[in-house]
Amino acid sequence: MRALKQLTAALLASLALAGCSSLPADAVRGTGDLGVVIERAAGRVKVVEHSHDSILGTVEGLGDLSHAHVAFSRDARYAYVFGRDGGLTKVDLLARRIDRRVIQAGNSIGGSVSQDGRLVVAQNYEPGGIKAFDADTLELVADVPAEYAPGKFSRVVGLADIPGQRFVYALFDADEIRVTDFSDPKHPVTTRYPAGHQPYDGLVTPDGRYFLAGLFGEDGISLLDLWKPEAGARKILSGYGRGEEKLPVFKMPHLRGWSLAAGQAWLPAIGRHEVLVADAASWKETGRVAVKGQPVFVMARPDGRQVWVNFAFPDNEWVQVIDTVEKRVVHTFSPGKAVLHLEFTPRGDEVWLSARDSHRVTVMDTASFAIRRELAVDAPSGIFFTSRAQRIGF
Amino acid sequence: MRALKQLTAALLASLALAGCSSLPADAVRGTGDLGVVIERAAGRVKVVEHSHDSILGTVEGLGDLSHAHVAFSRDARYAYVFGRDGGLTKVDLLARRIDRRVIQAGNSIGGSVSQDGRLVVAQNYEPGGIKAFDADTLELVADVPAEYAPGKFSRVVGLADIPGQRFVYALFDADEIRVTDFSDPKHPVTTRYPAGHQPYDGLVTPDGRYFLAGLFGEDGISLLDLWKPEAGARKILSGYGRGEEKLPVFKMPHLRGWSLAAGQAWLPAIGRHEVLVADAASWKETGRVAVKGQPVFVMARPDGRQVWVNFAFPDNEWVQVIDTVEKRVVHTFSPGKAVLHLEFTPRGDEVWLSARDSHRVTVMDTASFAIRRELAVDAPSGIFFTSRAQRIGF
């Protein structure tokens, strides 16, 4: 009896030690092939894996997930889910449960993880600014309001992590690009650069060198060379934007979808049924590819040989694939109704596409365009794989 | 008593279910920050993690690990260790034990994993050729001898995975580059391209487009555009190589160390105390940077702002850092004796350096060049992080 008691105690201790007591049976597994799919309407995420294209589980209680964004911990175990309602939730992909959750703002549109993995930084509309949290505990480390005049705070857009514990972002209401350095996490240092009128989104190039901010208030893009920031932002692609005709714009494209492929930048034209091509060294326009609708995401397969495009309403059931050498559409198809997002596997063999109104995620072979799998997901929007943890600017 | 027995049985069952029975206490963890360090003389690897820069454990019994190479499974749980003696070992990084091991050749120099993660392909000197194995079971799937004349088989070098389930490699004894397509795994299809004399190593660019094979038998490099392979291989950088002076070469540099950074290719000169710089579009030489010795590895920090260089004997205790914008050495230091390899963390905040004769791995901050940690490792050589699983051409 006593021996059994001791055995039981030992077993319980080892269970607790191994952290296995309430974990799924497959909790001991690699995390390099994991991801999450946002179930926008239900405030949930599906945890998925792309080695066998399956759904592993569901995590609920994440609040308002319209325009939700996801970043990942350095070890690729945790997803940081940024909700529109200011909720920041750390989801344990192995345990498939919420590890921590805070409401950090009134209106948030995303965030990123610092180069060293120790800080999670959110970009907020209300209150306008960015906030840094401890990546383990989600405790507030630093609050950096986007104050541009006494008592006036701008909405923040386009936040991206860059090397050196820095983050770059744009101020929609203040025509500025800012870089905040968290090398001393509790005492961040911010540098301000005047930019074009009403930057509405931004991205950094994969090497973290250039920040590009799309402008809502004028035609063109503000470019800041982060290796020579003292030179300031300059305007490129002055023809980019709604142009003189002021075409109706059904949805402003996501700049984070911009792609560098085959030495060229591939950009969604605003209000036009075109994808713009620009030289990635000179930033001069070199061509346009006619497509089926107003592009929203223009995303390169990781090897850059293909660029995949989805569209704004009323063409949002379609997806087109451009060959970047031939500069022409090579495939057109519909994976379902209201295609909101697409994500490539890290080495590009597959792409996952979410069709919100068909309640379906389609997994496609990017070489043959064959459907590998269709997964039932409730009103899916964003799809995010853990390989983002390994990249600059996500 | 009976209740206790049942409880014990239930606990044991749950332990078995969770796979926790003989696992380390921290086996439930992310694998995005893991890696292995080769302990060359002892036939062992250290399993390490770079979130806190620590050694997690040791796995023994891997055979002859001189010139060992490591690739990773798609889920980043397993390391495939290729030994010089033809041993191929699948190491479970979470359980810290050998999962499977086969002797697949008499003399092997490495291997890679297919784009879909299902095949591990080894490149062999003896018997000359490549072999594909099931990534789960290590069962032989296909044997592709490098036969170039009846009964004559070449040593294979420079193997790299490229999109479309293909592998590209060079034949030292046959002056050829070959591409083998494993789309139908048991019936691979090989295409042959004549190349320069005695290719001794190779690499693909990060997008998988260009294969470059360094030539031992003549000056220059063979370049094959894998997006237009029908055009065949052409020779570039004809001045590259030992040149007319036939300088003594203490160690042929590793081409896998070649780097693309800031739009330029950075290459170790052969036999000279120089790093060569070439335009990555035209492949014309654009400059040279004088360094402390004959370079072996010339590796770009992931953002491309720095290139780190180690050297052949007798300068192999030194490491230099080149600023790629200024094109000059900005830091020179010695992390120990016989520096054999270096590996960057995925987003480049740290670099790990192995000093074989000092039995030490040094972890450095790449921004400040401060030492973050020194780890005691027995005669360390190669260092490999799991982020390689997410990249083309590793």
Side-chain angles (χ1 to χ4, degrees):
Chain A
M1 183 74 182
R2 190 167 171 190
L4 261 177
K5 267 190 187 162
Q6 283 175 340
L7 177 60
T8 307
L11 280 167
L12 283 168
S14 74
L15 273 168
L17 248 184
C20 297
S21 47
S22 62
L23 292 177
D26 61 343
V28 178
R29 56 161 296 144
T31 56
D33 58 350
L34 298 184
V36 298
V37 180
I38 302 292
E39 292 192 298
R40 184 187 176 119
R44 289 189 304 238
V45 296
K46 288 272 188 267
V47 178
V48 299
E49 61 78 34
H50 58 67
S51 289
H52 305 284
D53 303 330
S54 70
I55 294 170
L56 297 176
T58 305
V59 179
E60 311 206 339
L62 305 182
D64 179 359
L65 295 185
S66 54
H67 206 285
H69 183 73
V70 177
F72 293 93
S73 64
R74 185 174 174 119
D75 64 0
R77 174 174 180 172
Y78 300 98
Y80 300 102
V81 182
F82 302 87
R84 190 62 192 247
D85 56 2
L88 166 57
T89 313
K90 184 184 173 197
V91 174
D92 184 338
L93 301 176
L94 292 176
R96 276 153 236 157
R97 65 183 174 214
I98 292 174
D99 182 75
R100 315 241 166 183
R101 176 169 162 82
V102 296
I103 303 296
Q104 58 87 22
N107 187 343
S108 177
I109 59 154
S112 298
V113 173
S114 64
Q115 186 186 28
D116 70 357
R118 300 207 174 147
L119 297 174
V120 178
V121 174
Q123 60 176 338
N124 297 325
Y125 278 7
E126 180 52 48
I130 66 172
K131 286 182 180 176
F133 300 88
D134 182 290
D136 289 333
T137 65
L138 297 191
E139 279 168 32
L140 183 69
V141 174
D143 186 356
V144 185
E147 189 170 22
Y148 61 94
K152 294 204 162 189
F153 301 89
S154 172
R155 286 168 280 185
V156 169
V157 299
L159 180 83
D161 60 278
I162 52 174
Q165 293 295 100
R166 295 175 304 155
F167 291 81
V168 57
Y169 51 100
L171 275 58
F172 180 83
D173 304 299
D175 302 348
E176 257 184 40
I177 295 170
R178 292 191 178 183
V179 175
T180 300
D181 183 335
F182 289 91
S183 295
D184 182 356
K186 290 187 183 255
H187 303 94
V189 177
T190 299
T191 313
R192 303 164 63 163
Y193 304 96
H197 193 39
Q198 294 179 327
Y200 74 96
D201 198 2
L203 89 163
V204 290
T205 50
D207 58 3
R209 175 166 184 177
Y210 297 103
F211 181 71
L212 294 93
L215 302 175
F216 188 78
E218 60 182 300
D219 273 6
I221 289 166
S222 279
L223 173 77
L224 181 65
D225 181 349
L226 295 158
W227 289 5
K228 295 174 190 166
E230 63 281 2
R234 64 189 172 94
K235 189 161 152 181
I236 58 168
L237 294 168
S238 297
Y240 185 74
R242 297 177 67 175
E244 290 165 19
E245 293 172 51
K246 293 290 177 200
L247 294 164
V249 177
F250 293 105
K251 179 175 168 56
M252 289 299 279
H254 276 265
L255 300 205
R256 206 52 70 93
W258 285 359
S259 304
L260 282 174
Q264 308 271 312
W266 301 75
L267 303 84
I270 297 175
R272 295 173 193 280
H273 292 203
E274 288 173 345
V275 168
L276 271 56
V277 192
D279 184 277
S282 68
W283 302 105
K284 303 280 184 203
E285 186 178 323
T286 58
R288 295 180 178 224
V289 178
V291 289
K292 206 169 177 66
Q294 294 186 5
V296 176
F297 280 107
V298 174
M299 299 182 72
R301 198 172 68 174
D303 67 342
R305 182 58 195 265
Q306 295 174 348
V307 161
W308 291 56
V309 188
N310 73 336
F311 303 101
F313 181 85
D315 301 301
N316 60 354
E317 75 193 277
W318 296 101
V319 172
Q320 291 192 302
V321 183
I322 297 170
D323 182 295
T324 57
V325 171
E326 299 180 18
K327 289 187 181 168
R328 66 178 183 88
V329 171
V330 294
H331 191 57
T332 301
F333 69 102
S334 171
K337 291 180 184 166
V339 179
L340 293 189
H341 196 223
L342 60 160
E343 176 92 335
F344 292 93
T345 51
R347 285 158 69 192
D349 55 328
E350 290 181 351
V351 64
W352 290 41
L353 305 117
S354 56
R356 184 193 60 201
D357 297 349
S358 297
H359 302 289
R360 184 164 67 214
V361 167
T362 301
V363 181
M364 286 184 68
D365 182 315
T366 65
S368 68
F369 304 129
I371 293 174
R372 287 192 179 173
R373 195 91 180 241
E374 291 181 329
L375 301 169
V377 181
D378 183 52
S381 54
I383 305 171
F384 304 89
F385 292 140
T386 54
S387 50
R388 289 171 174 249
Q390 322 280 359
R391 300 202 174 147
I392 295 167
F394 282 82
Chain B
M1 181 76 182
R2 189 165 170 189
L4 261 180
K5 266 190 188 162
Q6 281 173 342
L7 176 61
T8 308
L11 280 169
L12 282 168
S14 74
L15 273 169
L17 246 185
C20 296
S21 48
S22 61
L23 293 177
D26 62 343
V28 178
R29 57 161 296 143
T31 57
D33 58 350
L34 298 184
V36 298
V37 180
I38 302 291
E39 293 193 296
R40 184 188 176 119
R44 290 190 304 239
V45 296
K46 288 273 188 266
V47 179
V48 299
E49 60 78 35
H50 58 68
S51 289
H52 305 283
D53 303 331
S54 71
I55 294 170
L56 298 176
T58 305
V59 179
E60 310 206 340
L62 305 182
D64 178 0
L65 294 185
S66 54
H67 207 286
H69 184 74
V70 178
F72 293 94
S73 63
R74 184 172 175 121
D75 64 0
R77 174 173 180 172
Y78 300 97
Y80 300 102
V81 182
F82 301 88
R84 191 63 192 248
D85 56 1
L88 166 56
T89 313
K90 184 184 174 198
V91 174
D92 184 338
L93 301 177
L94 292 176
R96 275 154 237 156
R97 66 182 172 215
I98 291 174
D99 183 76
R100 316 241 166 186
R101 177 170 161 81
V102 296
I103 303 295
Q104 58 86 21
N107 187 343
S108 176
I109 59 154
S112 298
V113 173
S114 64
Q115 187 187 26
D116 71 357
R118 300 208 174 146
L119 297 174
V120 178
V121 174
Q123 60 176 338
N124 297 324
Y125 279 5
E126 179 53 46
I130 66 172
K131 287 182 180 176
F133 300 88
D134 182 289
D136 289 331
T137 65
L138 297 191
E139 279 168 33
L140 183 69
V141 174
D143 185 356
V144 185
E147 189 170 24
Y148 60 95
K152 293 202 163 192
F153 301 90
S154 172
R155 286 167 281 184
V156 169
V157 299
L159 180 83
D161 60 277
I162 52 174
Q165 293 294 100
R166 294 175 303 155
F167 291 81
V168 57
Y169 50 101
L171 276 56
F172 180 83
D173 305 299
D175 303 349
E176 258 185 39
I177 295 170
R178 292 190 178 184
V179 176
T180 299
D181 184 335
F182 288 92
S183 295
D184 183 355
K186 290 188 182 250
H187 303 95
V189 176
T190 299
T191 312
R192 302 165 63 163
Y193 304 95
H197 192 39
Q198 294 179 326
Y200 74 97
D201 198 2
L203 89 163
V204 289
T205 51
D207 58 4
R209 175 166 185 177
Y210 296 103
F211 181 71
L212 295 93
L215 302 174
F216 188 78
E218 60 183 298
D219 274 5
I221 288 166
S222 280
L223 172 77
L224 181 65
D225 181 348
L226 295 158
W227 290 3
K228 296 175 190 166
E230 63 281 2
R234 65 190 171 92
K235 189 162 153 182
I236 59 169
L237 293 169
S238 296
Y240 185 73
R242 297 178 69 176
E244 288 164 21
E245 293 172 52
K246 293 289 178 200
L247 295 164
V249 177
F250 294 106
K251 178 174 169 58
M252 288 300 279
H254 277 264
L255 300 204
R256 207 53 71 93
W258 284 359
S259 304
L260 282 174
Q264 310 271 311
W266 301 75
L267 303 84
I270 298 175
R272 295 173 194 281
H273 292 201
E274 288 173 343
V275 168
L276 271 57
V277 192
D279 184 277
S282 68
W283 301 105
K284 302 280 185 202
E285 185 178 323
T286 58
R288 297 182 176 221
V289 178
V291 289
K292 206 170 177 67
Q294 295 186 5
V296 175
F297 280 106
V298 174
M299 298 182 71
R301 198 172 68 174
D303 67 343
R305 182 60 194 265
Q306 295 175 348
V307 161
W308 290 56
V309 188
N310 72 338
F311 304 101
F313 182 85
D315 301 302
N316 60 353
E317 74 192 278
W318 297 102
V319 172
Q320 291 192 304
V321 183
I322 297 170
D323 181 296
T324 56
V325 171
E326 299 180 17
K327 289 188 182 166
R328 66 178 182 87
V329 171
V330 292
H331 190 57
T332 301
F333 69 102
S334 172
K337 292 181 182 166
V339 178
L340 294 188
H341 196 224
L342 60 160
E343 176 92 336
F344 292 93
T345 52
R347 285 159 68 191
D349 56 328
E350 291 181 350
V351 64
W352 289 41
L353 305 117
S354 56
R356 185 192 59 202
D357 296 349
S358 296
H359 302 289
R360 185 165 67 212
V361 167
T362 301
V363 181
M364 286 185 69
D365 182 315
T366 64
S368 67
F369 304 130
I371 293 173
R372 287 193 179 172
R373 195 91 179 240
E374 291 181 329
L375 302 169
V377 180
D378 184 52
S381 55
I383 304 170
F384 305 88
F385 292 140
T386 54
S387 50
R388 289 171 173 250
Q390 322 280 358
R391 300 202 174 145
I392 295 167
F394 281 82

